[in-house]
Amino acid sequence: MKYTLKFIFSIVLMLAIKPAFSQEEKTDTIQKPRTDKYGIRVGADLYRFARSFYDDDFQGFEIVADYRLTKKIYAAGEIGNTKITVDDDQLNFTTNGSYIKLGFDYNAYENWLDMQNMIYIGFRYGFSSYSQTLNSYKIYDDSGYFEQTVVYPNQEYSGLSAHWLEFVGGIKAELFNNLYLGFSVRLKALITDKKPDNFDNLYIPGFNRTYDGSFGAGFNYTLSYTIPLYKRVK
């Protein structure tokens, strides 16, 4: 009888303790919800920064930024300044001005864990305000009997502006926590520009060299840092 009571008591004790252990195991297996960081990412173009040191004919900078709106879409933009002297076969000119570009990026890369790398496409609307200075030009002589005459007018044309659209494709890889290295290429189409009298816009800050009057191209290398503002559950 004594052993029977011990057995019954053991069974009751096990039945009483098991739900507690089961609840503890269930609690331990519940994972915390995965979250995505949302915030503003700010950086600079390394190429323009470096070129300002090794190229005596170039001075410029570009600040880049984006803000995460949804899981895939980012509001993005760039702002910068460029002063460049171009020495072609027939003329030498200097362009000096500022620009701003605004648009969106779409991240086509599927991240895992807590990574926030990007392989993206996007577009920008660009606007630039600048001046052109015609430093010198050569009078062309096709006879071959005389040396080309060089004229130095040093004529400045101010109050110029341009508007364009550009298609963007690029990547951003997280090197360390919140620190990103990026690269992008740009294809650009000029919408409208205010040209100087008796001259042309051969270079537009933010647009770069103009080819066939309406198309341009460019690229940038960026180093940027994300300032986290809040998190959302995935």
Side-chain angles (χ1 to χ4, degrees):
M1 183 69 178
K2 180 171 69 173
Y3 293 104
T4 304
L5 290 175
K6 277 186 176 182
F7 178 76
I8 294 173
F9 178 77
S10 300
I11 296 296
V12 172
L13 185 61
M14 289 179 61
L15 293 174
I17 293 175
K18 186 177 180 181
F21 277 106
S22 300
Q23 183 65 31
E24 184 177 349
E25 291 176 0
K26 185 176 180 181
T27 303
D28 290 340
T29 57
I30 295 176
Q31 296 181 352
K32 292 181 180 180
R34 293 177 59 188
T35 59
D36 276 340
K37 291 182 291 186
Y38 284 73
I40 184 170
R41 178 165 37 200
V42 182
D45 177 22
L46 300 179
Y47 170 72
R48 286 173 175 81
F49 178 76
R51 186 179 176 183
S52 297
F53 285 94
Y54 69 77
D55 189 347
D56 294 334
D57 293 329
F58 181 89
Q59 293 178 356
F61 70 88
E62 182 175 277
I63 304 298
V64 301
D66 63 43
Y67 179 77
R68 191 175 188 182
L69 298 175
T70 68
K71 180 180 178 181
K72 294 289 188 180
I73 298 177
Y74 294 72
E78 297 84 26
I79 186 171
N81 180 272
T82 299
K83 181 179 181 181
I84 185 172
T85 297
V86 179
D87 188 14
D88 283 341
D89 293 336
Q90 295 297 321
L91 55 85
N92 180 293
F93 66 92
T94 299
T95 302
N96 186 12
S98 301
Y99 61 90
I100 184 171
K101 297 183 282 186
L102 299 173
F104 295 91
D105 291 331
Y106 175 80
N107 185 16
Y109 182 73
E110 286 292 341
N111 284 290
W112 60 287
L113 296 178
D114 294 325
M115 300 172 65
Q116 288 187 267
N117 298 318
M118 294 182 67
I119 300 177
Y120 64 93
I121 57 174
F123 76 93
R124 301 287 188 275
Y125 167 80
F127 170 76
S128 180
S129 177
Y130 56 96
S131 65
Q132 302 264 27
T133 300
L134 178 58
N135 302 315
S136 65
Y137 64 90
K138 297 176 182 178
I139 298 177
Y140 182 71
D141 178 20
D142 59 355
S143 66
Y145 293 105
F146 303 98
E147 293 185 359
Q148 288 185 329
T149 302
V150 181
V151 181
Y152 298 90
N154 292 319
Q155 176 66 50
E156 181 179 359
Y157 305 92
S158 59
L160 306 177
S161 61
H163 302 256
W164 69 91
L165 294 176
E166 60 183 64
F167 174 80
V168 184
I171 61 173
K172 289 180 182 177
E174 190 170 16
L175 301 178
F176 304 101
N177 188 31
N178 295 328
L179 185 66
Y180 294 82
L181 183 67
F183 172 76
S184 72
V185 293
R186 318 292 181 103
L187 299 178
K188 314 180 184 191
L190 196 63
I191 300 174
T192 181
D193 63 328
K194 182 179 179 181
K195 297 181 180 180
D197 296 333
N198 301 318
F199 196 44
D200 201 354
N201 288 319
L202 302 178
Y203 190 101
I204 299 172
F207 187 88
N208 301 337
R209 290 295 297 262
T210 57
Y211 301 93
D212 296 329
S214 59
F215 294 99
F219 65 92
N220 66 6
Y221 292 95
T222 60
L223 186 66
S224 55
Y225 183 82
T226 296
I227 304 172
L229 299 179
Y230 60 94
K231 293 182 179 181
R232 287 182 181 175
V233 177
K234 289 187 178 181

